Amino acid sequence: MVNNRIVTLTRKTSETDIEITLNIDGSGKSNIDTGLKFFDHMLTSFSKHGFFDLDVKVIGDIEVDDHHTVEDTGLLLGKCFKEALGDKIGINRMGYSMVPMDEALATVAVDISGRNYTVFKADFEYQYIGDVNSQNIKHFFESFANTSLMNININCEGENDHHICEAIFKSLARALNSATEITHDQLLSTKGKL
C-alpha cells in the first residue's frame, strides 16, 4: 500500500474559498461541508464508494446560486487527484463501473490519460435536485475532468433525478478506485508519459 498519495490543496477566489484533503488510499471516511446539502450527500457517497478519505470545506457565494461552489469544488478536487497521483507509475490508468440505484443505471469509464474530456449522457427532469441546480451536475464532472486531466465517460438512464445523480457519483468513485489502484511497476503509455 502506498502511503504518500495524500494531498491538501486550497483555492480562493472572490466567489469561493475551498480547502480539500484527499487520501486516495483511504477507507472512505469523509467530512464534507459545501453549504449545499445535496452536494454534500453526493461527495460523501463518492468518498465512501471509492474508499477515498475526503475532507471538503467550502465557503461559497450560495446566496447568488450554487454554480460557483459546485464548479470550483470540481476544479479543486480534480487538481487534488492529479497531484496525489504524482508520476502515475503502477496505476491501472483505466477503470470502469456499472452501478444500479433502483430504476437508475449508471455506467462510468475513466482514463487517467493526461488529457481531459467529458462525455455526459444523462437527463434530469427537474431544475433542482435538493438545493443543487441539475445543470451544474454535468458541469461538476467537466470541471473535475479539466483539472485532473482525465477522460470521463458517463451514461445513466433512470426516472428519479436523485437516483440518477447518486448512481453516477457512486459509479465514478468505483471506476476511479480501480483506475488509481497500483498493481504493477510500469507507466501504462506507449508515449512514455501520462
Side-chain angles (χ1 to χ4, degrees):
M1 172 84 53
V2 174
N3 293 318
N4 61 348
R5 298 198 301 173
I6 303 170
V7 66
T8 298
L9 295 177
T10 60
R11 174 185 170 91
K12 186 168 185 173
T13 71
S14 60
E15 298 163 340
T16 59
D17 186 353
I18 306 174
E19 181 174 309
I20 297 177
T21 299
L22 168 69
N23 178 0
I24 289 178
D25 303 304
S27 60
K29 292 183 280 186
S30 63
N31 183 15
I32 314 290
D33 182 9
T34 66
L36 300 166
K37 295 303 182 187
F38 182 73
F39 195 34
D40 292 352
H41 177 44
M42 292 302 100
L43 292 175
T44 299
S45 186
F46 173 81
S47 168
K48 175 65 73 177
H49 290 274
F51 294 96
F52 306 124
D53 289 347
L54 186 61
D55 290 341
V56 179
K57 176 62 179 171
V58 183
I59 300 170
D61 59 353
I62 56 175
E63 70 281 359
V64 175
D65 68 8
D66 57 301
H67 182 92
H68 299 136
T69 293
V70 173
E71 175 183 43
D72 290 2
T73 301
L75 290 170
L76 189 59
L77 183 59
K79 189 173 180 183
C80 283
F81 269 89
K82 183 177 181 296
E83 294 293 321
L85 286 169
D87 61 15
K88 304 183 188 104
I89 291 174
I91 66 168
N92 281 334
R93 177 179 159 176
M94 290 165 246
Y96 171 90
S97 177
M98 182 179 283
V99 171
M101 186 166 183
D102 294 352
E103 87 299 338
L105 181 63
T107 304
V108 177
V110 298
D111 181 5
I112 305 171
S113 61
R115 298 181 310 279
N116 62 295
Y117 200 88
T118 308
V119 175
F120 186 91
K121 295 180 181 175
D123 294 315
F124 299 111
E125 183 174 356
Y126 296 104
Q127 182 178 358
Y128 279 89
I129 311 170
D131 51 2
V132 174
N133 190 313
S134 57
Q135 285 184 329
N136 293 327
I137 302 302
K138 176 183 178 184
H139 194 48
F140 169 81
F141 295 114
E142 291 170 334
S143 300
F144 179 86
N146 285 345
T147 53
S148 64
L149 299 180
M150 292 184 197
N151 175 211
I152 303 175
N153 193 304
I154 296 167
N155 193 332
C156 189
E157 294 183 0
E159 297 172 3
N160 181 289
D161 289 352
H162 185 128
H163 294 166
I164 292 167
C165 193
E166 189 165 348
I168 291 170
F169 271 86
K170 287 177 179 176
S171 191
L172 174 63
R174 292 174 64 89
L176 279 173
N177 179 266
S178 176
T180 59
E181 185 180 3
I182 294 176
T183 58
H184 52 84
D185 61 358
Q186 301 176 45
L187 185 65
L188 289 182
S189 172
T190 56
K191 296 183 179 79
K193 183 178 180 182
L194 287 176

